[in-house]
Amino acid sequence: MLKFIPIKAVAGIVGFESPAAEYTQLSLDLDQLLIDHPSATYIGIADGDSMVGDGIFSGDLLIVDRALEIKDHDVVVANLNGVFVCKKVNKSKRCLMSSGDNVPPYFLQEGDIFQVEGIVTRSIRLHRPF
């Protein structure tokens, strides 16, 4: 089990005694912190740069929750015609939107095979990939 120090770390400040020295370490379970519905959650890996406007970069871990109800503009992982995609959903326009530059929205059409696999609740940047 990891130890958790309940302070924010400001990037860029150096040369001071650690303010964490005054805090007691608390036990932290990353599952409890990151996963709301353990039996309905899986982890995927982002591929590509179409969602960088939402802070999702290629290689990031995606925590995907299948227990949540989809709302407009949720970021989801979905199966679109046999390809897994990570996009924002616009339910009223039946549209999948990217947040990267120069990526047009995709409007679902008759005959598309489309299944939402879950809502991306969190993404984790790996600074040292697998």
Side-chain angles (χ1 to χ4, degrees):
M1 181 156 317
L2 297 175
K3 300 294 182 186
F4 176 66
I5 301 172
I7 61 169
K8 294 182 180 179
V10 179
I13 296 178
V14 295
F16 297 98
E17 180 181 342
S18 170
E22 298 175 19
Y23 288 90
T24 309
Q25 293 183 350
L26 305 173
S27 293
L28 173 69
D29 181 349
L30 285 178
D31 287 352
Q32 289 177 337
L33 179 67
L34 300 173
I35 298 173
D36 299 319
H37 304 103
S39 64
T41 300
Y42 65 94
I43 296 175
I45 299 175
D47 185 25
D49 59 1
S50 69
M51 295 302 290
V52 296
D54 284 294
I56 298 173
F57 294 82
S58 193
D60 285 357
L61 296 179
L62 303 176
I63 298 179
V64 183
D65 192 329
R66 294 180 136 180
L68 298 173
E69 183 178 329
I70 300 166
K71 297 179 183 174
D72 266 347
H73 304 286
D74 274 341
V75 176
V76 301
V77 170
N79 185 331
L80 175 62
N81 298 323
V83 177
F84 283 100
V85 296
C86 178
K87 302 290 176 197
K88 277 186 176 178
V89 171
N90 184 320
K91 290 171 64 173
S92 61
K93 293 183 180 181
R94 294 186 39 85
C95 170
L96 300 175
M97 302 172 299
S98 298
S99 61
D101 292 337
N102 303 319
V103 181
Y106 181 86
F107 292 90
L108 295 171
Q109 302 170 19
E110 183 91 22
D112 278 336
I113 299 169
F114 178 71
Q115 175 67 44
V116 172
E117 299 296 331
I119 297 168
V120 177
T121 56
R122 291 159 182 85
S123 61
I124 301 170
R125 176 112 352 93
L126 299 178
H127 295 278
R128 199 181 255 191
F130 299 120

